[in-house]
PDB file of all heavy atoms in Angstrom:
ATOM      1  N   GLN A   6      14.038   4.887   0.474  1.00 97.00           N
ATOM      2  CA  GLN A   6      14.333   4.376  -0.855  1.00 97.00           C
ATOM      3  C   GLN A   6      14.494   5.564  -1.801  1.00 97.00           C
ATOM      4  O   GLN A   6      13.985   6.636  -1.535  1.00 97.00           O
ATOM      5  CB  GLN A   6      13.238   3.417  -1.320  1.00 97.00           C
ATOM      6  CG  GLN A   6      11.815   3.910  -1.176  1.00 97.00           C
ATOM      7  CD  GLN A   6      10.786   2.874  -1.613  1.00 97.00           C
ATOM      8  OE1 GLN A   6       9.833   2.601  -0.911  1.00 97.00           O
ATOM      9  NE2 GLN A   6      10.948   2.319  -2.805  1.00 97.00           N
ATOM     10  N   ILE A  20      16.662  -1.484  -6.859  1.00 98.00           N
ATOM     11  CA  ILE A  20      16.034  -0.451  -6.047  1.00 98.00           C
ATOM     12  C   ILE A  20      16.281  -0.805  -4.588  1.00 98.00           C
ATOM     13  O   ILE A  20      15.852  -1.852  -4.101  1.00 98.00           O
ATOM     14  CB  ILE A  20      14.517  -0.374  -6.327  1.00 98.00           C
ATOM     15  CG1 ILE A  20      14.275  -0.023  -7.793  1.00 98.00           C
ATOM     16  CG2 ILE A  20      13.863   0.656  -5.410  1.00 98.00           C
ATOM     17  CD1 ILE A  20      12.821  -0.080  -8.205  1.00 98.00           C
ATOM     18  N   TRP A  34       7.688  -5.959  -0.880  1.00 97.00           N
ATOM     19  CA  TRP A  34       7.776  -5.054  -2.034  1.00 97.00           C
ATOM     20  C   TRP A  34       6.454  -5.069  -2.792  1.00 97.00           C
ATOM     21  O   TRP A  34       5.843  -6.128  -2.992  1.00 97.00           O
ATOM     22  CB  TRP A  34       8.897  -5.482  -2.985  1.00 97.00           C
ATOM     23  CG  TRP A  34      10.269  -5.219  -2.442  1.00 97.00           C
ATOM     24  CD1 TRP A  34      11.049  -6.079  -1.725  1.00 97.00           C
ATOM     25  CD2 TRP A  34      11.008  -4.002  -2.556  1.00 97.00           C
ATOM     26  NE1 TRP A  34      12.243  -5.476  -1.388  1.00 97.00           N
ATOM     27  CE2 TRP A  34      12.247  -4.205  -1.895  1.00 97.00           C
ATOM     28  CE3 TRP A  34      10.778  -2.765  -3.158  1.00 97.00           C
ATOM     29  CZ2 TRP A  34      13.229  -3.206  -1.815  1.00 97.00           C
ATOM     30  CZ3 TRP A  34      11.747  -1.782  -3.080  1.00 97.00           C
ATOM     31  CH2 TRP A  34      12.963  -2.011  -2.413  1.00 97.00           C
ATOM     32  N   TYR A  35       6.038  -3.862  -3.217  1.00 97.00           N
ATOM     33  CA  TYR A  35       4.814  -3.689  -3.984  1.00 97.00           C
ATOM     34  C   TYR A  35       5.116  -2.864  -5.226  1.00 97.00           C
ATOM     35  O   TYR A  35       5.979  -1.983  -5.219  1.00 97.00           O
ATOM     36  CB  TYR A  35       3.739  -2.983  -3.147  1.00 97.00           C
ATOM     37  CG  TYR A  35       3.149  -3.842  -2.058  1.00 97.00           C
ATOM     38  CD1 TYR A  35       3.823  -4.066  -0.867  1.00 97.00           C
ATOM     39  CD2 TYR A  35       1.904  -4.443  -2.224  1.00 97.00           C
ATOM     40  CE1 TYR A  35       3.287  -4.869   0.124  1.00 97.00           C
ATOM     41  CE2 TYR A  35       1.357  -5.247  -1.235  1.00 97.00           C
ATOM     42  CZ  TYR A  35       2.062  -5.452  -0.071  1.00 97.00           C
ATOM     43  OH  TYR A  35       1.523  -6.255   0.919  1.00 97.00           O
ATOM     44  N   GLN A  36       4.373  -3.162  -6.278  1.00 98.00           N
ATOM     45  CA  GLN A  36       4.466  -2.406  -7.528  1.00 98.00           C
ATOM     46  C   GLN A  36       3.169  -1.669  -7.760  1.00 98.00           C
ATOM     47  O   GLN A  36       2.082  -2.204  -7.490  1.00 98.00           O
ATOM     48  CB  GLN A  36       4.698  -3.389  -8.691  1.00 98.00           C
ATOM     49  CG  GLN A  36       4.766  -2.756 -10.080  1.00 98.00           C
ATOM     50  CD  GLN A  36       4.692  -3.808 -11.180  1.00 98.00           C
ATOM     51  OE1 GLN A  36       3.736  -4.565 -11.273  1.00 98.00           O
ATOM     52  NE2 GLN A  36       5.730  -3.866 -12.016  1.00 98.00           N
ATOM     53  N   LEU A  46       4.582  -7.904  -4.666  1.00 96.00           N
ATOM     54  CA  LEU A  46       5.608  -8.559  -5.478  1.00 96.00           C
ATOM     55  C   LEU A  46       6.321  -9.673  -4.708  1.00 96.00           C
ATOM     56  O   LEU A  46       6.474 -10.789  -5.215  1.00 96.00           O
ATOM     57  CB  LEU A  46       6.654  -7.534  -5.943  1.00 96.00           C
ATOM     58  CG  LEU A  46       6.248  -6.529  -7.012  1.00 96.00           C
ATOM     59  CD1 LEU A  46       7.394  -5.569  -7.279  1.00 96.00           C
ATOM     60  CD2 LEU A  46       5.792  -7.223  -8.282  1.00 96.00           C
ATOM     61  N   PHE A  60      12.029 -10.830 -11.375  1.00 96.00           N
ATOM     62  CA  PHE A  60      12.203 -10.022 -10.168  1.00 96.00           C
ATOM     63  C   PHE A  60      12.817 -10.852  -9.050  1.00 96.00           C
ATOM     64  O   PHE A  60      12.446 -12.015  -8.850  1.00 96.00           O
ATOM     65  CB  PHE A  60      10.861  -9.473  -9.705  1.00 96.00           C
ATOM     66  CG  PHE A  60      10.237  -8.456 -10.636  1.00 96.00           C
ATOM     67  CD1 PHE A  60      10.801  -8.152 -11.854  1.00 96.00           C
ATOM     68  CD2 PHE A  60       9.060  -7.811 -10.277  1.00 96.00           C
ATOM     69  CE1 PHE A  60      10.221  -7.220 -12.705  1.00 96.00           C
ATOM     70  CE2 PHE A  60       8.472  -6.866 -11.119  1.00 96.00           C
ATOM     71  CZ  PHE A  60       9.039  -6.586 -12.332  1.00 96.00           C
ATOM     72  N   LEU A  73      15.260  -4.604  -4.347  1.00 98.00           N
ATOM     73  CA  LEU A  73      14.476  -5.285  -5.383  1.00 98.00           C
ATOM     74  C   LEU A  73      15.295  -5.226  -6.666  1.00 98.00           C
ATOM     75  O   LEU A  73      15.749  -4.148  -7.061  1.00 98.00           O
ATOM     76  CB  LEU A  73      13.127  -4.598  -5.566  1.00 98.00           C
ATOM     77  CG  LEU A  73      12.179  -5.201  -6.593  1.00 98.00           C
ATOM     78  CD1 LEU A  73      11.684  -6.566  -6.114  1.00 98.00           C
ATOM     79  CD2 LEU A  73      11.001  -4.263  -6.848  1.00 98.00           C
ATOM     80  N   LEU A  75      15.360  -5.973 -10.667  1.00 98.00           N
ATOM     81  CA  LEU A  75      14.532  -6.238 -11.834  1.00 98.00           C
ATOM     82  C   LEU A  75      15.459  -6.492 -13.026  1.00 98.00           C
ATOM     83  O   LEU A  75      16.286  -5.649 -13.374  1.00 98.00           O
ATOM     84  CB  LEU A  75      13.617  -5.047 -12.147  1.00 98.00           C
ATOM     85  CG  LEU A  75      12.584  -4.667 -11.080  1.00 98.00           C
ATOM     86  CD1 LEU A  75      13.173  -3.755 -10.017  1.00 98.00           C
ATOM     87  CD2 LEU A  75      11.387  -3.993 -11.734  1.00 98.00           C
ATOM     88  N   ASP A  82       7.513  -2.416 -17.025  1.00 98.00           N
ATOM     89  CA  ASP A  82       8.024  -2.357 -15.650  1.00 98.00           C
ATOM     90  C   ASP A  82       8.064  -0.928 -15.126  1.00 98.00           C
ATOM     91  O   ASP A  82       8.322  -0.703 -13.938  1.00 98.00           O
ATOM     92  CB  ASP A  82       9.424  -2.965 -15.561  1.00 98.00           C
ATOM     93  CG  ASP A  82       9.452  -4.438 -15.939  1.00 98.00           C
ATOM     94  OD1 ASP A  82       8.435  -5.136 -15.698  1.00 98.00           O
ATOM     95  OD2 ASP A  82      10.478  -4.886 -16.493  1.00 98.00           O
ATOM     96  N   SER A  83       7.809   0.044 -15.995  1.00 98.00           N
ATOM     97  CA  SER A  83       7.749   1.440 -15.553  1.00 98.00           C
ATOM     98  C   SER A  83       6.590   1.568 -14.561  1.00 98.00           C
ATOM     99  O   SER A  83       5.420   1.348 -14.917  1.00 98.00           O
ATOM    100  CB  SER A  83       7.537   2.386 -16.737  1.00 98.00           C
ATOM    101  OG  SER A  83       8.653   2.367 -17.601  1.00 98.00           O
ATOM    102  N   ALA A  84       6.927   1.910 -13.337  1.00 98.00           N
ATOM    103  CA  ALA A  84       5.945   1.944 -12.263  1.00 98.00           C
ATOM    104  C   ALA A  84       6.633   2.496 -11.022  1.00 98.00           C
ATOM    105  O   ALA A  84       7.827   2.782 -11.029  1.00 98.00           O
ATOM    106  CB  ALA A  84       5.402   0.541 -11.989  1.00 98.00           C
ATOM    107  N   SER A  85       5.850   2.624  -9.949  1.00 98.00           N
ATOM    108  CA  SER A  85       6.424   2.951  -8.647  1.00 98.00           C
ATOM    109  C   SER A  85       6.572   1.670  -7.846  1.00 98.00           C
ATOM    110  O   SER A  85       5.709   0.783  -7.930  1.00 98.00           O
ATOM    111  CB  SER A  85       5.536   3.934  -7.897  1.00 98.00           C
ATOM    112  OG  SER A  85       5.527   5.189  -8.534  1.00 98.00           O
ATOM    113  N   TYR A  86       7.646   1.594  -7.101  1.00 98.00           N
ATOM    114  CA  TYR A  86       7.926   0.399  -6.306  1.00 98.00           C
ATOM    115  C   TYR A  86       8.093   0.825  -4.844  1.00 98.00           C
ATOM    116  O   TYR A  86       8.842   1.748  -4.536  1.00 98.00           O
ATOM    117  CB  TYR A  86       9.187  -0.304  -6.811  1.00 98.00           C
ATOM    118  CG  TYR A  86       8.986  -0.887  -8.190  1.00 98.00           C
ATOM    119  CD1 TYR A  86       9.163  -0.104  -9.329  1.00 98.00           C
ATOM    120  CD2 TYR A  86       8.582  -2.205  -8.346  1.00 98.00           C
ATOM    121  CE1 TYR A  86       8.938  -0.620 -10.596  1.00 98.00           C
ATOM    122  CE2 TYR A  86       8.364  -2.742  -9.610  1.00 98.00           C
ATOM    123  CZ  TYR A  86       8.543  -1.944 -10.732  1.00 98.00           C
ATOM    124  OH  TYR A  86       8.311  -2.455 -11.976  1.00 98.00           O
ATOM    125  N   PHE A  87       7.355   0.151  -3.980  1.00 98.00           N
ATOM    126  CA  PHE A  87       7.350   0.496  -2.556  1.00 98.00           C
ATOM    127  C   PHE A  87       7.907  -0.664  -1.739  1.00 98.00           C
ATOM    128  O   PHE A  87       7.523  -1.826  -1.951  1.00 98.00           O
ATOM    129  CB  PHE A  87       5.926   0.774  -2.071  1.00 98.00           C
ATOM    130  CG  PHE A  87       5.267   1.972  -2.690  1.00 98.00           C
ATOM    131  CD1 PHE A  87       4.574   1.873  -3.879  1.00 98.00           C
ATOM    132  CD2 PHE A  87       5.349   3.208  -2.063  1.00 98.00           C
ATOM    133  CE1 PHE A  87       3.965   2.981  -4.453  1.00 98.00           C
ATOM    134  CE2 PHE A  87       4.742   4.325  -2.625  1.00 98.00           C
ATOM    135  CZ  PHE A  87       4.051   4.214  -3.822  1.00 98.00           C
ATOM    136  N   CYS A  88       8.779  -0.342  -0.780  1.00 96.00           N
ATOM    137  CA  CYS A  88       9.146  -1.335   0.215  1.00 96.00           C
ATOM    138  C   CYS A  88       8.294  -1.068   1.462  1.00 96.00           C
ATOM    139  O   CYS A  88       7.850   0.059   1.703  1.00 96.00           O
ATOM    140  CB  CYS A  88      10.635  -1.318   0.539  1.00 96.00           C
ATOM    141  SG  CYS A  88      11.321   0.243   1.132  1.00 96.00           S
ATOM    142  N   GLY A 104       8.359   5.238  -1.892  1.00 97.00           N
ATOM    143  CA  GLY A 104       8.218   4.770  -3.261  1.00 97.00           C
ATOM    144  C   GLY A 104       9.331   5.246  -4.171  1.00 97.00           C
ATOM    145  O   GLY A 104       9.870   6.343  -4.007  1.00 97.00           O
ATOM    146  N   THR A 105       9.686   4.384  -5.114  1.00 97.00           N
ATOM    147  CA  THR A 105      10.682   4.695  -6.128  1.00 97.00           C
ATOM    148  C   THR A 105      10.005   4.640  -7.490  1.00 97.00           C
ATOM    149  O   THR A 105       9.438   3.604  -7.857  1.00 97.00           O
ATOM    150  CB  THR A 105      11.840   3.680  -6.104  1.00 97.00           C
ATOM    151  OG1 THR A 105      12.497   3.736  -4.842  1.00 97.00           O
ATOM    152  CG2 THR A 105      12.839   3.975  -7.223  1.00 97.00           C
ATOM    153  N   LEU A 107      10.211   4.184 -11.204  1.00 98.00           N
ATOM    154  CA  LEU A 107      11.113   3.603 -12.201  1.00 98.00           C
ATOM    155  C   LEU A 107      10.619   3.946 -13.594  1.00 98.00           C
ATOM    156  O   LEU A 107       9.471   3.650 -13.940  1.00 98.00           O
ATOM    157  CB  LEU A 107      11.186   2.081 -12.042  1.00 98.00           C
ATOM    158  CG  LEU A 107      11.915   1.322 -13.169  1.00 98.00           C
ATOM    159  CD1 LEU A 107      13.387   1.707 -13.224  1.00 98.00           C
ATOM    160  CD2 LEU A 107      11.759  -0.197 -12.982  1.00 98.00           C
TER     161      LEU A 107
END
Side-chain angles (χ1 to χ4, degrees):
Chain A
Q6 49 182 131
I20 299 173
W34 288 92
Y35 288 78
Q36 178 192 59
L46 288 177
F60 293 5
L73 181 68
L75 298 85
D82 298 329
S83 294
S85 292
Y86 293 85
F87 295 87
C88 57
T105 298
L107 170 64

